[in-house]
Amino acid sequence: MADTIWERQAPPPAAVDEALRDTRDACFWIEDVTAPPRFEALGADHSTDLAIVGGGFTGLWTAIRAAQRDPGRRVLLLEARRLGWAASGRNGGFCAASLTHGEENGRSRWPDEYDALARMGEENLDGIERTVRAHDMAVDWERTGELAVAVEDHQVPWLEEMTEGRFLDRDAVRAEVASPTYLAGRWLDDAALLHPARMVAELARVAIDLGVEIVEDTQVTGLDSGSSGPVTLQTPRGRVRADRVALGTNVFPALVRRYRPLTVPVYDYVIMTEPLTDAQLAEIGWRQRQGLADLANHFHYYRLSGDNRILFGGYDAIYRYGKQVSADYEHRPETHRALVSHLLTTFPQLEGIRVTHRWAGAIDTCTRFCAFYGLAHRGRVAHAAGFTGLGVGASRFAADVLLDLLAGEDTERTSLEMVRRTPLPFPPEPLAAAGIHATRWSLDRSDHRGGERNLWLRTLDRLGLGFDS
Ligand SMILES: Cc1cc2nc3c(=O)[nH]c(=O)nc-3n(C[C@H](O)[C@H](O)[C@H](O)COP(=O)(O)OP(=O)(O)OC[C@H]3O[C@@H](n4cnc5c(N)ncnc54)[C@H](O)[C@@H]3O)c2cc1C
């Protein structure tokens, strides 16, 4: 098998050791919020119009959109641990317009409604920006767009075939960002960057200002309902009676059991460097500060932070047998080493830079790579999950869908096939692990063989199935 660029141009192992000498196992973003908001646990029975389970972006946006759409409504958000401790506080902070995990996935699955989906995605991104500006949210919002880059010859035609954004040839892309690995690029302007943990804190502030109540350290352990009337949420220290319930529990076990087989947790790994010096930054260029991602199956995504660190993540997307979410899975030294090595291959100008933080998080992967929706308990409980690594922006759209569904409203959103249909489930173990490992192996082989897809991948393509992060 041919080597990929990461093998052909790998830095010496000692350079990787040096970069990782004093690295902390901690999420930079979460540490960087000096006074995060803190909320008490639910201590007694409670009754509300709308209960929201999950204090990530989906839950917080649902709270805000509910209060904006119906200011008189009582809204209670319940979070098992702390707001944003999971994916929402520790992601790459790429806030994309895409609701479909990219154009290709959207067009191939929903060719007839893709134009509407692309427009709704743009409107959604504009809606996020409006909220950030209207509430003066300190979230390092930068509408930079995203630069997709080819780092192997076979990826160049893929960029040429894309219709969205602007194609950049080798010289043009390197004039933007000086990496010797770049062969071409496509600059997509429908994305912003933000500081995820600050976004969580600021969304909570806005929600509170709009009259939302929030409780942390309160796990919802079950839902009960009769044929009509309120739904009861069980928690360790009190019950909540709610007319409607929105579930934004992402990768964690769905409170409506039938949605559980639709997602699996996939671990995604990230490193963060120390701030670049002015001289280091000048050597790279990157004056437009775009988010960057390469086109391999095992792709990397990277960006500058507000204080000019480089966040570099992706590549390995690790599924562990048993579909569990566990902090133990966040430690994977070989993946963090690979990320450092690939960062130094991408930017040899940064020789000697230190990596200050490394962390990981669980992505809620589903077989169609973008969020799905469900309505249960006779229309009183709505569920959204399955963002597959692209939920920072799409979670706000999901919030509106959840509220439309709970209101029983027919809207342009609820009429979408993407909203009405759920993805195919993952099989039970051991089939899930066997299938995912075969797929990951095939994707890696494809990266090593000029992008060629073997019989297994072509069969999955035909079935509309796949594995991504
Ligand atoms: C490392 C990493 C990098 C990523 N990078 C990007 C990126 O750059 N751009 C992008 O768009 N997306 C990215 N993503 C994906 C994105 O972060 C998620 O899609 C998004 O944050 C999902 O938000 P959420 O609110 O649905 O889920 P979460 O943030 O996971 O929140 C769910 C919350 O529900 C709570 N909960 C679960 N069950 C219960 C219960 N029974 N009772 C009470 N509370 C409960 C959990 O404690 C948790 O806080 C990344 C993800 C990871 C892990």
Side-chain angles (χ1 to χ4, degrees), residues 53-59 78-96 218-221 248-253 255 266 268-270 301 359-364 384 387-395:
V53 187
F57 288 147
T58 303
L78 303 106
E79 163 55 42
R81 291 172 65 173
R82 297 199 56 175
L83 298 183
W85 74 272
S88 295
R90 61 176 80 190
N91 57 67
F94 284 61
C95 186
T218 303
Q219 174 147 17
V220 177
T221 51
T249 54
N250 196 30
V251 74
F252 301 92
L255 287 159
V266 170
D268 191 38
Y269 296 81
V270 181
Y301 55 89
W359 69 91
I363 279 173
D364 59 334
F387 293 98
T388 317
L390 207 67
V392 171
S395 52

Side-chain angles (χ1 to χ4, degrees), residues 271-293:
I271 55 170
M272 187 73 119
T273 69
E274 63 190 340
L276 270 56
T277 62
D278 291 345
Q280 284 169 323
L281 208 50
E283 279 193 66
I284 296 179
W286 212 345
R287 279 175 294 279
Q288 307 301 323
R289 303 175 62 82
Q290 307 95 328
L292 280 148

Side-chain angles (χ1 to χ4, degrees), residues 424-452:
L424 286 171
F426 288 93
E429 296 293 18
L431 285 179
I436 291 170
H437 287 137
T439 309
R440 289 199 68 241
W441 180 84
S442 302
L443 290 169
D444 186 52
R445 205 174 139 96
S446 162
D447 282 340
H448 282 83
R449 294 192 160 190
E452 204 177 287

